[in-house]
Amino acid sequence: MLTWPHSTVGQSHTGTSIVDPCNAEPAPPSPAMYQLDIVLKKGNNLAIRDRTGTSDPYVKFKIQGKEVFRSKTIHKNLNPVWDERASLLVESLRDPLYVKVFDYDFGLQDDFMGSAYLYLESLEHHRTLEVTLDLKDPHYPDHNLGSLDLSVTLSPREGDMRDATMLLRRNWKRSSKCQSMRLSDVHRKAQLWRGIVSISLIEGRGLQPMDDNGRSDPYVKFRMGHQKYKSKTIPKTLNPQWREQFDFHMYEEQGGYVDITVWDKDAGKKDDFMGKCTIDLSLLSKEHTHKLELLLEEGEGVLVMLVTLTASAAVSISDMSVNVLDDPHERLQIKQRYSLWRSLRNLKDVGVVQVKVIRAEGLMAADVTGKSDPFCVVELSNDRLQTHTVYKNLNPEWNKVFTFNVKDIHTVLEVTVYDEDRDRSADFLGKVAIPLLNIQNGERKAYALKSKELTGPTKGVIFLEIDVIFNAVKAGLRTLIPIEQKYIEEDPKVSKQLLLRNFNRVRRCIMFIINTGYYINSCFEWESPQRSICAFVLFVVLVWNFELYMIPLALLLPLAWNYILITSGKDTRQDVQAMEDLMEDEDEDFDKDDRDSERKGFMNKIYAIQDVCISVQNALDEVASYGERIKNTFNWTVPFLSWLAIVALGMATVIVYFIPLRYIVLAWGVNKFTKKLRDPYTIDNNEILDFLSRVPSDVQVVQYRELKLDPNPSPNKRKKNNPG
């Protein structure tokens, strides 16, 4: 084993540390492929990037701009020891190995710690070399950022490429044993569930004070296997009232454990741990609600919650030959099960959806071999199923049938294609989102894949055939109760583009109100005498004859008017195109690794206001979404919901017309005052807000809209929106 002479470590014109091909002997004729075996040993005197005087370093390897390896993160260490192995398949030695080191920052942009190039043409074949790479910052080449110690072996691979690929796959399999669970493994474990664990988090009592004011800002995290939930934060209290409900899927017949932790929210620093507890589901009887008062370990106080275990018909996956809805007898039975005559039986069982995942074409090449190992994940709310992996294929055929129970007809079916990687998380290839109410039963369609944010196209199409059978009455009643919360996803990050988009959305809603005010004021100013006379006569007639029933009746008029325009071919939903233009240039470049090293100082300045920015960003999104949802209700964006609004407003008109207002207000007040007396653990909700939560905003309308297929796709055409 040879040690690479330190004199060969030089600098390029950019200031990035490289290993130059110095005096390399003439190489024999190039073989078809090369295998590059690397041992990432350790780092020496790496740069400080955290305020504590340390860093949390990890390493990336890139070839031709594509990440081919990422190490684990070593926390709080400037001399980390990795001892990780990677086996890479290389087609050409002309492309150097780009080594980059970063400091991991939770919730923030990871900080650049230096980079180096290893030129593969300078390596001797079949010989293990010890290499030391000096890390440099391209913008500040004089700064000393430490070094990395590697062991490198380059071996030509003669013969068929398939043999080399299989060898690489075996090496990846051996080297991935110490890696964390891949995304595909998580999905594979989430195949079939046998029941539902429903947890109602009621309150906390006597929690531990963590802040200087003698109080806390508590929130609760739940975890059951890979399923996670997080409650809302209740500020400045030791006796919080949450009254939130969470549903977990139970995969084991004997139950399992739910791990619960309580945290104190702190802006600008790490949240404080307040205690933990565990629920052993095997001790609880099924089909019964249990009231639990759990003492917190390693803390103070009690959590009060209601836990119910219920059996459920499992979601299923099968081959095309086993297809329930293709059997006329089975299909008739399912239709009878969800017929209008059975509308009041099991209100939570709204319907069933069957998804046939047939094949995909023209997928993006994610591997260095110019191929991909695609598999498909189908998600409906918190239910996830996946296909098998088709190796080394850009036009895979799966021919699988997925069946889901529908609990909310307004749920969006998400179909995502990934590339399976043996040594790291699966790579994203494309995604489509299809609202259940937009599905045409039995129609085999080709859907153009979109980017991860669903804002633009990516390469490839997927062929699906979907059938939905549901009960309209149950679906309408379900619309008026809180929407099912999804598993906790990644913590939100500050995004300049997202902040700007939400600001523009709110501005558009406000400008509509302002323009309406200008129009009304123009009637007072008599800018148009004809319009002002009509407005004056209408005002006098309405005020003189006003009755309360006219309010819901007036709201019925724009619904009816827009419906007439749509049926006559005049679509009034013009704001969707404006939203598409707004989102067109918004896809972020997630590979923002090469940042100015002095950016760390700027990040420190905004660290304390990060939560404020996220709150403002989310508040803008919330305000804009509700304004757009009200507009889309009257625009017939979702005809089912518009018809439901017509029924509700019609009933409100009749009730208000025949029943005196005082009786309506009295009934409402009595219900509100006695609600908590009748059920102390009831979860508050607002039916109108629950209804509006099912109406898509303009952003969601764009995300769920199908892309037009390119009749003559070019294989070399580069798409503007590549997946992150």
Side-chain angles (χ1 to χ4, degrees), residues 532-548:
S532 296
I533 291 173
C534 294
F536 177 72
V537 173
L538 182 63
F539 172 77
V540 172
V541 172
L542 286 178
V543 172
W544 185 259
N545 299 283
F546 178 77
E547 295 289 344
L548 195 59

Side-chain angles (χ1 to χ4, degrees), residues 559-589:
L559 275 168
W561 176 250
N562 284 327
Y563 180 73
I564 293 172
L565 291 178
I566 292 173
T567 54
S568 62
K570 299 178 181 179
D571 198 340
T572 60
R573 296 167 289 187
Q574 300 168 346
D575 293 328
V576 175
Q577 183 60 46
M579 181 56 63
E580 285 182 339
D581 296 338
L582 183 65
M583 297 171 64
E584 186 177 11
D585 298 322
E586 232 178 49
D587 285 333
E588 297 183 42
D589 181 8

Side-chain angles (χ1 to χ4, degrees), residues 188 317 357 374-377 385-389 398 400 402:
R188 188 172 293 115
I317 177 173
V357 182
F375 65 93
C376 185
V377 176
L385 293 176
Q386 81 167 65
T387 68
H388 60 281
T389 301
W398 293 291
K400 292 293 182 182
F402 301 91

Side-chain angles (χ1 to χ4, degrees), residues 661-674:
L661 178 62
R662 62 175 60 88
Y663 295 130
I664 297 175
V665 175
L666 182 63
W668 175 83
V670 170
N671 175 68
K672 278 293 185 182
F673 278 103
T674 62

